[in-house]
């Protein structure tokens, strides 16, 4: 068997606002049994806790190495692929995968050297919309539609299992992908903030709520997976649109202000 550790080194399991420490321990065990090891805890409600250690059943090394961060944005800032596990099929503006369908893109991103995150929500409330908005894809385990919510650690187990089986079935290299890796989640968030401001500046919304259009635009750009260079071009266009809007709104001004966002360097 070829080693799964190269994939494991790039893959983090992120548990968001977990309330039951037992689930953290059981998730650590689930991860460890499938040959993975990286756990990130976003604002856990009770941790460390003896219950977590008990449920880890010997997978203590995963718990000991777990990283604790205050919010999801911090947990995934350096990732180029972020998948949110959701118990509900919702009208989220995200491409939806089954765990099996998720395997190929996860492996491709990891094989190209990118960091990948699988994100799991709180036991009661799942992932909030603003947390899902940080994800590039949604993973839904096709459970019974009228009772589709698995226990958190069991959901972790299913995704980890699919990744392992996908690997064992085909340990050779995943399909080739674009030469330049997609921009990181942190850079994408910076772009989305810039886009939102620029749309305001050019009065795109005309009094309508920006929420829906921003979700649609997020889906479009996350699907396109622009690389860093492409993102700089887009930001250059936004900066120019903002500059023109300022000029149009201030008669008598003829020159751009120094210190404007750079034009993208292209
Ligand atoms: N009541 C919540 C469910 C929370 S279960 C809700 O309706 O959203 C805790 C977490 O386990 C979820 O946030 C999700 O990350 C994962 N999970 C549970 N069932 C799942 C399923 N069928 N598919 C994918 N993830 C699931």
């Amino acid at each position: 068997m070829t080693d799964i550790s190269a994939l494991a080194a790039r893959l983090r399991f992120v548990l968001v606002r977990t309330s039951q420490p037992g689930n953290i321990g059981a998730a650590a065990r689930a991860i460890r049994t499938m040959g993975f090891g990286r756990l990130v805890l976003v604002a856990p409600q009770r941790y460390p806790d003896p219950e977590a250690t008990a449920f880890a059943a010997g997978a203590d090394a995963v718990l000991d190495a777990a990283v604790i961060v205050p919010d999801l944005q911090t947990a995934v800032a350096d990732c180029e692929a972020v998948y949110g596990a959701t118990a509900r099929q919702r009208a989220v503006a995200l491409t939806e995968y089954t765990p099996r369908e998720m395997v190929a893109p996860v492996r491709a991103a990891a094989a190209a050297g990118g960091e990948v995150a699988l994100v799991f929500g709180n036991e009661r409330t799942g992932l909030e919309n603003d947390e899902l908005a940080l994800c590039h894809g949604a993973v839904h385990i096709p459970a019974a539609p009228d009772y589709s919510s698995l226990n958190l650690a069991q959901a972790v187990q299913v995704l980890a299992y699919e990744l392992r089986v996908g690997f064992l079935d085909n340990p050779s290299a995943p399909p080739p992908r674009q030469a330049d890796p997609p921009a990181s989640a942190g850079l994408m968030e910076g772009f989305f903030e810039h886009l939102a401001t620029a749309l305001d500046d050019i009065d795109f919304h005309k009094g309508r709520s920006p929420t829906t259009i921003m979700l649609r635009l997020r889906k479009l750009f996350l699907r396109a997976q622009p690389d860093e260079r492409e993102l700089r071009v887009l930001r250059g266009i936004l900066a120019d649109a903002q500059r023109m809007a300022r000029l149009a709104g201030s008669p008598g001004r003829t020159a751009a202000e120094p210190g404007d966002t750079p034009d993208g360097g292209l």
Side-chain angles (χ1 to χ4, degrees):
M1 181 191 112
T2 318
D3 202 350
I4 200 170
S5 60
L7 173 59
R10 295 278 171 212
L11 183 67
R12 71 189 69 171
F13 290 79
V14 181
L15 307 187
V16 182
R17 294 175 290 103
T18 312
S19 57
Q20 298 297 325
N23 278 335
I24 297 177
R29 181 180 186 176
I31 292 165
R32 178 77 177 84
T33 53
M34 295 299 109
F36 302 108
R38 290 174 61 201
L39 186 60
V40 178
L41 305 174
V42 175
Q45 287 172 20
R46 275 170 50 205
Y47 190 81
D49 190 284
E51 204 177 297
T53 312
F55 275 78
D60 303 39
V62 176
L63 286 185
D64 291 345
V67 177
I68 301 177
V69 296
D71 52 48
L72 182 56
Q73 197 151 354
T74 309
V76 300
D78 60 333
C79 291
E80 73 167 55
V82 181
Y83 293 90
T86 60
R88 279 170 282 171
Q89 283 178 299
R90 347 184 175 202
V92 286
L94 282 179
T95 307
E96 196 165 284
Y97 300 82
T98 64
R100 206 159 292 173
E101 290 164 349
M102 157 209 80
V103 172
V106 164
R107 288 187 66 189
E115 286 283 320
V116 181
L118 301 181
V119 183
F120 299 82
N122 166 272
E123 292 92 332
R124 201 172 54 76
T125 52
L127 290 170
E128 303 290 345
N129 284 337
D130 62 334
E131 291 163 345
L132 275 171
L134 294 168
C135 299
H136 305 159
V139 183
H140 176 70
I141 299 163
D146 60 339
Y147 193 77
S148 64
S149 178
L150 279 75
N151 162 267
L152 168 61
Q154 291 175 345
V156 171
Q157 184 79 71
V158 171
L159 267 61
Y161 169 78
E162 284 292 349
L163 278 165
R164 184 170 183 82
V165 170
F167 180 85
L168 294 177
D169 282 350
N170 177 17
S172 57
R177 42 172 283 154
Q178 67 187 91
D180 290 324
S184 68
L187 284 177
M188 288 303 291
E189 286 313 306
F191 167 67
F192 288 131
E193 276 167 32
H194 192 175
L195 179 60
T197 317
L199 290 179
D200 263 351
D201 290 351
I202 64 171
D203 192 27
F204 179 77
H205 303 300
K206 301 181 186 57
R208 292 170 306 219
S209 157
T211 312
T212 308
I213 187 72
M214 278 311 297
L215 284 174
R216 282 189 200 287
L217 289 169
R218 289 183 74 95
K219 184 178 184 187
L220 167 68
F221 285 110
L222 289 171
R223 188 172 66 229
Q225 297 197 303
D227 59 37
E228 279 186 31
R229 193 180 165 92
E230 290 164 337
L231 220 51
R232 278 202 300 276
V233 179
L234 290 169
R235 293 196 64 156
I237 295 171
L238 294 179
D240 274 356
Q242 288 175 299
R243 186 168 55 82
M244 297 312 286
R246 275 201 300 277
L247 287 174
S250 343
R253 280 180 52 190
T254 51
E257 304 207 324
D260 274 350
T261 312
D263 66 3
L266 291 170

